């Protein structure tokens, strides 16, 4: 009997000892009552969304309503991406888009989601989508003043293998009088009023610039809102990373080839080679480039003399974000000169341009070869 009691007493002592840290934590929490918690806590009611951020920063109601329609689109697309396998949305749709690329089922669905949300928002005048051959003129009774270009689902060629994808967009203001036409959006990137991308990965991140720095918002599923996480910029000490499709190496001009060789085999004493990172989804590669530093290249080549990436809904918005985050966005040698991507005026809505963008240190190593 005494042996049984001893065992019970021992178990009781262990149980009480286990309760000590729990009681300590509960007492500490009680003592912290009224103290503001970090964003994400159930008790934190002071969160800033995209809408409240715009109203605080600019009080531009049309832009706030527009971004509300955009974030609604992103949430719809996220749902489609997450349920793609269940809903039989993987695979090709048997079509080609305006650029001659094979269209995936999710491309078409994402395009429809974006067009419906933006047309019905009452803020847009003209839309340009990668998936549509011609610009979309918004009906007069729903028309606003914004001209918007977007890639509904960037990186969709990799969607079947669960690679991160995203939506890229640029926003201009209609400034001309009279009937709407493509000319209302065929402008240099310096005339954009907003640009951004939403990345559908392990987290749903919205990166946007209203031409006063870059800001990061993350979707909080529990409240269905994109919550402001703070400003976003290149690190002061960027990592050594280069990102490009080296399958095109033999088609590049000698300067680009030489630059990539220097990244891989630096000649300076004690210099370490750059790490190679290439996803093949522009949102993923640019997002990493800003967060970690480095350089992203998609230059012109012998096959694609104007580059492969589209200007209005890939080159210009990403260049704006890169520059606003403290980086450099250049075309490299293009049309006989080296210049900013933001200074290029598109000749048509699906025009292309070469891309060299990233940390000032790394882009300088490429561009200096053209001096």
């Amino acid at each position: 009997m005494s042996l049984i009691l001893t065992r019970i007493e021992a178990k009781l002592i262990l149980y009480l000892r286990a309760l000590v840290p729990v009681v300590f934590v509960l007492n500490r929490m009680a003592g912290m009552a009224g103290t503001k918690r970090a964003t994400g806590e159930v008790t934190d009611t002071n969160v800033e969304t995209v809408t409240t951020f715009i109203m605080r920063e600019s009080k531009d109601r049309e832009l706030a309503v527009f971004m509300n329609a955009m974030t609604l689109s992103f949430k719809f697309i996220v749902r489609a991406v997450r349920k793609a396998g269940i809903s039989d949305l993987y695979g090709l749709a048997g079509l080609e888009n305006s650029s001659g690329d094979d269209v995936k089922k999710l491309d078409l669905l994402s395009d429809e989601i974006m067009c419906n949300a933006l047309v019905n928002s009452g803020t847009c005048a003209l839309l340009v989508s990668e998936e549509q051959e011609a610009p979309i003129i918004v009906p007069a009774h729903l028309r606003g003043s914004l001209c918007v270009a977007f890639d509904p689902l960037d990186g969709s060629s990799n969607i079947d293998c669960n690679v991160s994808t995203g939506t890229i967009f640029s926003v201009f203001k209609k400034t001309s009088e009279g009937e709407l036409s493509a000319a209302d959006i065929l402008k240099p990137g310096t005339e954009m009023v907003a640009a951004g991308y939403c990345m559908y990965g392990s987290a749903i991140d919205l990166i946007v610039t209203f031409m006063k720095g870059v800001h990061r918002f993350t979707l909080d599923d529990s409240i269905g809102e994109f919550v402001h996480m703070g400003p976003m910029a290149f690190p002061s000490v960027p990592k050594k990373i280069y990102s490009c499709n080296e399958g095109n190496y033999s088609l590049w001009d000698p300067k680009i080839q030489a630059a990539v060789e220097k990244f891989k085999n630096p000649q300076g004493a004690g210099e370490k080679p750059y790490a190679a990172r290439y996803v093949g989804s522009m949102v993923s590669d640019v997002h990493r480039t800003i967060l970690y530093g480095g350089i992203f290249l998609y230059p012109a080549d012998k096959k694609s003399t104007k580059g492969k990436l589209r200007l209005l809904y890939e080159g210009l918005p990403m260049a704006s974000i890169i520059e606003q985050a403290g980086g450099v966005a250049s075309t490299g040698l293009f049309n006989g000169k080296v210049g900013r991507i933001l200074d290029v005026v598109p000749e048509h809505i699906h025009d292309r341009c070469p891309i060299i963008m990233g940390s000032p240190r790394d882009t300088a190593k490429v561009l200096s070869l053209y001096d």
Side-chain angles (χ1 to χ4, degrees):
M1 183 69 177
S2 60
L3 181 59
I4 293 173
L5 287 174
T6 302
R7 288 177 178 174
I8 292 173
E9 288 169 354
K11 287 182 179 180
L12 183 60
I13 290 169
L14 289 173
Y15 176 72
L16 290 172
R17 283 178 178 174
L19 278 178
V20 169
V22 176
V23 173
F24 173 77
V25 170
L26 290 173
N27 286 337
R28 186 176 178 104
M29 288 174 67
M32 291 172 63
T35 303
K36 190 181 185 311
R37 304 282 183 84
T39 299
E41 293 288 346
V42 175
T43 54
D44 186 4
T45 60
N46 186 26
V47 296
E48 186 161 49
T49 66
V50 178
T51 303
T52 57
F53 177 83
I54 294 172
M55 293 306 296
R56 178 173 61 81
E57 291 290 311
S58 68
K59 293 183 171 57
D60 188 329
R61 294 181 182 275
E62 184 176 52
L63 193 58
V65 174
F66 163 76
M67 285 304 302
N68 189 60
M70 290 294 284
T71 55
L72 176 64
S73 298
F74 302 151
K75 287 179 275 190
F76 266 103
I77 295 171
V78 168
R79 184 182 68 171
V81 169
R82 287 175 175 170
K83 297 182 70 175
I86 299 170
S87 303
D88 192 29
L89 290 173
Y90 285 143
L92 299 173
L95 302 169
E96 288 187 352
N97 64 15
S98 59
S99 303
D101 300 325
D102 289 328
V103 175
K104 296 292 184 85
K105 296 175 185 177
L106 275 171
D107 285 318
L108 296 179
L109 179 59
S110 300
D111 179 60
E112 185 177 342
I113 289 169
M114 295 283 293
C115 291
N116 285 343
L118 294 181
V119 167
N120 291 314
S121 71
T123 63
C124 298
L126 181 142
L127 305 177
V128 168
S129 169
E130 182 188 21
E131 308 305 330
Q132 305 272 352
E133 188 69 34
I136 300 165
I137 307 298
V138 177
H141 69 285
L142 292 171
R143 196 171 295 168
S145 70
L146 302 179
C147 298
V148 185
F150 53 89
D151 181 350
L153 196 62
D154 177 71
S156 60
S157 60
N158 293 322
I159 191 72
D160 295 5
C161 58
N162 209 21
V163 169
S164 294
T165 55
T167 300
I168 313 173
F169 63 95
S170 61
V171 187
F172 297 82
K173 283 271 191 181
K174 182 182 183 300
T175 54
S176 64
E177 298 295 331
E179 289 299 312
L180 283 159
S181 69
D184 288 299
I185 202 169
L186 297 178
K187 302 174 181 179
T190 50
E191 295 189 29
M192 281 188 293
V193 296
Y197 62 86
C198 187
M199 189 172 78
Y200 314 124
S202 55
I204 312 304
D205 273 353
L206 169 61
I207 311 302
V208 64
T209 178
F210 300 106
M211 308 309 149
K212 293 181 181 179
V214 178
H215 290 268
R216 183 179 187 179
F217 299 81
T218 298
L219 179 63
D220 183 340
D221 286 316
S222 65
I223 59 173
E225 289 283 357
F226 283 87
V227 176
H228 187 225
M229 305 302 292
M232 181 172 162
F234 278 89
S236 56
V237 182
K239 292 184 178 181
K240 292 186 173 183
I241 300 171
Y242 77 96
S243 180
C244 59
N245 183 356
E246 291 195 71
N248 295 326
Y249 182 91
S250 63
L251 302 174
W252 294 338
D253 72 53
K255 305 292 186 184
I256 297 294
Q257 290 177 338
V260 171
E261 286 300 324
K262 284 186 177 181
F263 289 140
K264 294 193 291 185
N265 303 294
Q267 302 301 310
E271 267 197 89
K272 294 182 178 180
Y274 279 52
R277 299 286 185 273
Y278 183 68
V279 178
S281 170
M282 192 182 190
V283 284
S284 299
D285 286 315
V286 170
H287 193 66
R288 183 200 57 249
T289 299
I290 298 173
L291 286 176
Y292 298 162
I295 186 169
F296 171 72
L297 309 96
Y298 214 115
D301 57 41
K302 296 173 185 175
K303 184 179 178 181
S304 303
T305 56
K306 298 186 78 171
K308 186 179 178 183
L309 299 177
R310 271 69 58 154
L311 189 58
L312 273 177
Y313 41 83
E314 290 174 324
L316 291 181
M318 288 305 201
S320 181
I321 291 168
I322 288 284
E323 287 198 6
Q324 289 291 325
V328 174
S330 172
T331 60
L333 185 62
F334 182 53
N335 292 334
K337 63 179 181 180
V338 176
R340 293 169 73 205
I341 294 172
L342 291 179
D343 290 334
V344 180
V345 181
E347 296 176 2
H348 55 85
I349 61 172
H350 299 296
D351 204 4
R352 303 170 187 258
C353 77
I355 300 287
I356 299 172
M357 54 176 58
S359 302
R361 177 199 67 192
D362 304 313
T363 51
K365 290 182 179 182
V366 178
L367 301 179
S368 63
L369 297 176
Y370 291 102
D371 293 340

